[in-house]
Amino acid sequence: MGSRPPVRNREARRRWRGYVYVLPAFAVYVAFAVLPALHTAYLSLFDWDGVTLGEWVGLGNYAEIFQDSILRRSVFNALVLVVFFSFVPIVLGLLSAGLLARYRRPGMGAYRFLFMLPQVVPLVAVGVTWRWLYGDDGVVNQALRAVGLDSVARAWLGDFDFALIAVGLVGTWVLSGLCMMLFLSGVQKVDPSLYEAARIDGAGPVREFLSVTLPHLRGELAVAMTVTTVAALASFDIVYVTTNGGPGEQTTVPGLLVYRLAFSEGKVGLAAALAVVLGVLILAIVYLINRLSRDRT
Amino acid sequence: MMDSTHRVRRRIAATVCAVALVLPLAACDALTPGSATAVPGPTSVPSSTAVPAGDVTLHLQFADAPLMVDALIAAFEKDHPDITVEPQYKTFSDYVQNLKLTMTSDTAPDIAQYAVGMTDLAADGHILDLAPYREAYGWDEAIPPVSLDQLTAGQTSEATGGRALFGVPAGLSMTGIYYNKELAEKAGIDAPPKTLGEFEKQLASAEDADLTPLGVGALDSGGLHLWAALLNQLMPTDEYWDWVNGRKGATMENPAAVEASELVIDWGRKGYYNESANGTAQVDSTAQFAKGDSVFLINGNWAAGQLATVMGDNVGFFPMPGEQAGSPTVASGFSVSYAVSAKTEHPQAAGAFLDFLTSPEAGQIISDNGFMPPNPDAVKKPTGVLADIAEGHRRAVADDGITTFPDFAAPAMLDRLRSGVQKLIADRVTPADYLDSLQDEWEDHHGE
C-alpha cells in the first residue's frame, strides 16, 4: 500500500517528461501558428476595414460568405483545380512508377532529379513563365500554328472556356514531378524478390502493378493526395500571377479572395472568416483522405 | 472503448479551452481591432508657410515615376539645403497593398503617394488635411482646382470650413485613344473623329480594311478605361461624380451606363478588339500597338513616352469624342499626388516640398518625364504625341471634364470593374447584371 504512490509518481513524472522536451518547440508553435490562427478566427467576428474601429458582427461575416455567388464560384473553381493538381499528377506518377518498377534501371537518380525540378522553382516564377508560354505569341500558340492549328490558337489565360484548364495544367506540370518522385522512391523500397515471385507465378505487367506495386505505395499515395489536394485548395500564387482570377471570375479561387478582401478591399473580417472556412474545409478533406487510406489496411 | 471515451473527454476539454480563450477576448474592448490606431494630435497642417531653421529629413514613399521623383528631389534640395528628402520606392501593387499598414505604423513616412486606400486613412486622421496650405500657399492659382478637388476624399475641412485637401498633384494623367497614322491612312481615316458616331465609323472602316481596329489590354485594368471612356461621354459628369464620391442616392444603374456597357459588347461582337483582349495586359497591348498590330489603342498618357520613342511622328492621340461635335471633353484622369502623414514631425518642411511641386521648375521636370504638369502654362510646349495629349488635357480641364477613375468609388470596385468589363468584351454578361454588380459593391461600401 505504502509503496504504490511513489511508483505512480515516478511513472507520471516519466510520462510528463517527454512534454518538457517538446515544450520549446511547442511554445514557438503556439506563438506563431496557434495564436495567429485564433486571432484570425477572432477577427472574423468583426466588420473591420484594417484601419478604423472594428464593429462586432458575430457570425455575420460567415452568413455573407455563404450568400456570395463569387465565393461559391471560387470554391467550385478550387475543386476543379483538385483534378489538375491532385488527380492527374497522381495518375501520371503511378503510371511512371508502374512502368519503371519492373526492372532496376540505371539513371534513376537523374530521372527523379529532372521531374523534381518544377518543385524547386518558386511558384511565382513558374506563373510568370507560363503566362508568357500561354500568351498570344507564346510558345504554346507558336507550336499550334506550326502544325496548322491556327484556329485553335488563342490567349489561353484570357479565354472564358479555357483559362481554368490552362491554370490547372500549370499545377499538373508542377505537382506531377512530386508525385512521381514519391512513388518512385516508394517502389524502390519494394523487395525485388516480390517482383520475381510474381513473374514466376505468371503475372503480367498489369497484374504485377496491381498486386505488388500499388499495395506498397499506399503510404506514399496518402501523402501525395494530402499534399496535392491542399496545394489545389490553397492555391494562390499561380492564379495571382497568371490571371488574377480572370477573365470574369473563371479562375477566382478562395485563396485569392482572402488576399483581395484583406489587402485591397479593406474587408479584413470577411477575409478572416473566409480563411477560417477554407482552413476547416482543407482540414476536413485531409482528415477524410487519411481516414480512407487508413481504413483499407 | 476506453480509448474512445478518452478521446471524447479530450475533445470536450479542448472545446472548453477554446471557448474560455475566446470569451474574455470578446469581452475586452482593448482587443477590438482598430481600437489602438486612433491618432492623437492635430489632423490638419498649420496655416503658415514658414519653415523652421535646422536640418530636417523627410521620408517620401512612392510608387510612380522614380526618375521624375529623383529629379524633383534633387531640384528641391538645391532650393532648400536644410531639408533632405529620402525617397523609398515600391512597386505600385506592393505600395497599394501595404499602404494602410505603412501609414498606420509608428514608422509611417512623412510624405506618401496618394492612392485609393487614402480615403479610409484620411477618415481616421492618419493623413493631414492640407486645406490651410491651399490658402496660405495659393495653390488654387498654381493648380487647376479640378485636380485638387479629386484629392478631398469627399470630406470637409475642420480647419478652414471649406473642402478638405489630402494631397498635392505632381503629374497629371488622362486616358484617351492613340492612333497609328500610317495604318489610319490605309483605312481611309484622315483626321481624329469629332463625335462618338464618327469614331465608330472609323473603327468599322479599319475593320473593313482587314486591320485590327482597337487595341485593348483587358487582362488587368485596361478594359476599365474603355468602359469609363464611353461612360464619360454618355453619363452626365455631375451624376458620375456623385457616384464616385459615394453621395447618397447615387446609382450606376441608369440608361446612360447601360448604353455605354452595350457599346462595349457591341464593339466586341463586331470584332473591333484585338482577338485576345482579355488575355492581354495593358503594357502588352501598348507594345503590340507600337508594333503596328492595331489602328487605335485605348490607354493613358503614361504610355506616351514609350510610344513616342518607338513610333516617333507616326502616333497621335485624342480624348474619346463626345456624342456631338460641341460636347465637352470628358476623360478619366488622376494625378501622381503626395499626401502628408499625421505622424510627421515636420509638417512645415513637408509643406515646402509640396509647394515646390507646384513651381514652374518642378513643372518642367514633370513635363520632361512624360507627365502633365499641374500648371501647363509654366513649361515649354511639348511636341508630337505629347503635344496632342497636352492639348486634350487642356480642353478637358477647360471643360471641367477630368473625372477620376471609377474604381475610386469603393476599395473593391476595381475587381468588379475588371472582371465585369472582361465579361462585356466576351459578351458573357448583360449590361443590367454588370451594373447591378457594381451598384451592389457601391451600396456595400456606402450604404448606411
Side-chain angles (χ1 to χ4, degrees):
Chain A
M1 268 301 268
S3 65
R4 277 191 70 93
V7 172
R8 198 190 284 162
N9 264 351
R10 209 181 307 143
E11 235 171 58
R13 225 181 293 147
R14 201 178 304 145
R15 224 185 293 147
W16 283 101
R17 194 181 294 156
Y19 288 107
V20 178
Y21 290 119
V22 189
L23 201 63
F26 183 72
V28 170
Y29 181 72
V30 166
F32 293 103
V34 176
L35 286 181
L38 284 177
H39 189 227
T40 303
Y42 177 64
L43 283 180
S44 74
L45 305 173
F46 283 88
D47 182 8
W48 187 39
D49 63 6
V51 181
T52 52
L53 205 62
E55 186 191 337
W56 175 268
V57 290
L59 296 176
N61 286 325
Y62 292 91
E64 200 171 330
I65 282 178
F66 290 107
Q67 287 160 5
D68 191 325
S69 65
I70 295 176
L71 284 163
R72 285 201 303 266
R73 166 86 213 198
S74 75
V75 173
F76 169 79
N77 288 342
L79 294 177
V80 172
L81 287 186
V82 170
V83 174
F84 288 96
F85 279 53
S86 180
F87 185 73
V88 179
I90 284 175
V91 168
L92 288 176
L94 283 176
L95 214 68
S96 85
L99 289 173
L100 293 165
R102 272 168 79 83
Y103 310 99
R104 289 273 165 136
R105 289 170 207 276
M108 244 358 193
Y111 187 69
R112 266 188 316 199
F113 169 74
L114 271 181
F115 280 99
M116 191 63 186
L117 262 184
Q119 279 291 310
V120 184
V121 185
L123 283 181
V124 171
V126 168
V128 172
T129 312
W130 278 88
R131 201 174 65 197
W132 290 335
L133 297 180
Y134 277 135
D136 235 352
D137 302 320
V139 174
V140 175
N141 284 329
Q142 282 174 21
L144 287 172
R145 288 189 187 110
V147 296
L149 289 170
D150 295 53
S151 57
V152 183
R154 65 195 74 213
W156 296 93
L157 295 170
D159 191 286
F160 271 77
D161 296 320
F162 292 103
L164 187 58
I165 298 174
V167 171
L169 286 174
V170 178
T172 306
W173 180 79
V174 172
L175 290 164
S176 290
L178 178 75
C179 293
M180 277 183 211
M181 212 227 21
L182 268 173
F183 299 152
L184 284 176
S185 64
V187 161
Q188 281 173 338
K189 284 188 321 207
V190 181
D191 189 344
S193 64
L194 280 176
Y195 286 107
E196 260 162 57
R199 242 166 277 159
I200 290 166
D201 287 345
V206 176
R207 184 78 250 169
E208 208 179 285
F209 176 73
L210 292 177
S211 305
V212 183
T213 310
L214 201 55
H216 277 92
L217 288 179
R218 195 176 291 125
E220 282 80 6
L221 211 55
V223 172
M225 273 169 89
T226 308
V227 171
T228 54
T229 310
V230 170
L233 293 174
S235 57
F236 166 74
D237 19 30
I238 292 179
V239 175
Y240 180 71
V241 172
T242 50
T243 62
N244 198 2
E249 278 96 29
Q250 297 306 102
T251 61
T252 303
V253 288
L256 186 71
L257 288 178
V258 171
Y259 172 74
R260 265 191 207 164
L261 287 171
F263 295 109
S264 51
E265 302 186 3
K267 295 176 184 168
V268 180
L270 196 60
L274 179 57
V276 170
V277 170
L278 184 61
V280 169
L281 182 74
I282 289 175
L283 284 179
I285 290 179
V286 168
Y287 176 75
L288 214 67
I289 290 171
N290 284 322
R291 198 55 193 269
L292 287 175
S293 63
R294 212 186 305 150
D295 274 354
R296 265 186 236 134
T297 36
Chain B
M1 192 60 218
M2 183 59 195
D3 191 43
S4 78
T5 47
H6 198 87
R7 211 185 296 159
V8 168
R9 210 178 301 155
R10 227 183 330 161
R11 230 172 263 170
I12 292 172
T15 316
V16 169
C17 280
V19 171
L21 254 170
V22 171
L23 270 184
L25 282 178
C28 181
D29 266 355
L31 276 170
T32 304
S35 62
T37 61
V39 190
T43 53
S44 92
V45 291
S47 60
S48 123
T49 62
V51 181
D55 285 343
V56 165
T57 300
L58 294 172
H59 293 276
L60 165 72
Q61 202 163 98
F62 70 105
D64 272 339
L67 292 176
M68 179 174 94
V69 173
D70 284 347
L72 286 171
I73 289 175
F76 171 73
E77 285 177 346
K78 214 188 277 172
D79 284 4
H80 295 80
D82 287 350
I83 306 176
T84 311
V85 182
E86 292 268 357
Q88 299 166 338
Y89 172 75
K90 281 189 176 181
T91 62
F92 187 75
S93 54
D94 243 12
Y95 180 76
V96 174
Q97 310 290 9
N98 293 311
L99 183 63
K100 283 183 181 168
L101 288 176
T102 312
M103 296 309 286
T104 53
S105 77
D106 289 334
T107 54
D110 301 285
I111 303 174
Q113 190 175 331
Y114 196 95
V116 177
M118 290 284 187
T119 320
D120 290 337
L121 290 165
D124 211 36
H126 290 278
I127 306 288
L128 288 182
D129 173 14
L130 303 169
Y133 280 167
R134 182 178 186 163
E135 283 168 24
Y137 278 114
W139 285 339
D140 276 320
E141 275 101 74
I143 305 169
V146 61
S147 301
L148 289 179
D149 286 345
Q150 290 183 338
L151 297 161
T152 62
Q155 292 184 41
T156 49
S157 174
E158 276 174 34
T160 66
R163 299 196 74 181
L165 179 67
F166 292 105
V168 168
L172 306 178
S173 67
M174 182 176 82
T175 62
I177 310 282
Y178 291 94
Y179 62 106
N180 181 320
K181 290 180 182 169
E182 273 171 32
L183 290 182
E185 204 176 318
K186 219 183 262 178
I189 302 162
D190 47 14
K194 293 198 177 49
T195 65
L196 193 54
E198 199 183 321
F199 182 48
E200 284 196 83
K201 276 188 203 127
Q202 294 187 349
L203 289 171
S205 44
E207 168 79 6
D208 289 342
D210 247 359
L211 297 164
T212 301
L214 181 61
V216 182
L219 178 66
D220 41 22
S221 51
L224 111 88
H225 296 319
L226 172 67
W227 179 74
L230 293 170
L231 187 71
N232 278 328
Q233 312 316 319
L234 299 167
M235 184 170 170
T237 311
D238 293 348
E239 288 174 28
Y240 178 80
W241 272 118
D242 284 349
W243 189 74
V244 172
N245 284 333
R247 189 150 300 167
K248 208 171 172 229
T251 177
M252 195 41 82
E253 296 183 82
N254 60 61
V258 169
E259 203 185 332
S261 310
E262 259 165 8
L263 267 182
V264 176
I265 296 178
D266 191 42
W267 290 5
R269 282 188 191 144
K270 287 177 176 157
Y272 288 172
Y273 309 128
N274 44 328
E275 235 170 87
S276 316
N278 278 335
T280 308
Q282 211 180 341
V283 280
D284 297 333
S285 70
T286 309
Q288 286 169 5
F289 172 77
K291 274 196 314 191
D293 284 0
S294 64
V295 182
F296 299 100
L297 168 78
I298 176 115
N299 207 333
N301 68 305
W302 48 83
Q306 181 195 351
L307 290 175
T309 312
V310 182
M311 301 174 73
D313 287 340
N314 189 28
V315 58
F317 176 93
F318 56 87
M320 182 71 89
E323 285 186 285
Q324 269 109 46
S327 302
T329 301
V330 187
S332 295
F334 198 62
S335 50
V336 181
S337 315
Y338 300 103
V340 179
S341 163
K343 294 217 175 68
T344 184
E345 286 167 17
H346 315 291
Q348 276 123 333
F353 180 73
L354 296 182
D355 186 54
F356 170 77
L357 298 177
T358 67
S359 69
E361 190 186 359
Q364 192 60 51
I365 294 170
I366 290 164
S367 173
D368 291 346
N369 281 278
F371 283 84
M372 278 164 299
N375 186 1
D377 302 334
V379 299
K380 273 185 291 190
K381 248 186 142 29
T383 57
V385 68
L386 293 174
D388 287 357
I389 293 174
E391 168 60 14
H393 192 257
R394 190 194 60 73
R395 271 168 33 210
V397 168
D399 293 345
D400 235 354
I402 295 286
T403 60
T404 35
F405 300 105
D407 59 293
F408 275 62
M413 199 57 79
L414 182 59
D415 292 322
R416 299 291 160 275
L417 285 162
R418 184 170 43 207
S419 67
V421 174
Q422 286 171 346
K423 288 182 200 168
L424 291 177
I425 286 175
D427 198 2
R428 293 259 178 164
V429 70
T430 63
D433 285 347
Y434 163 64
L435 297 172
D436 185 49
S437 79
L438 299 188
Q439 193 60 25
D440 270 357
E441 200 56 58
W442 190 92
E443 313 267 352
D444 203 37
H445 188 69
H446 297 289
E448 298 77 345

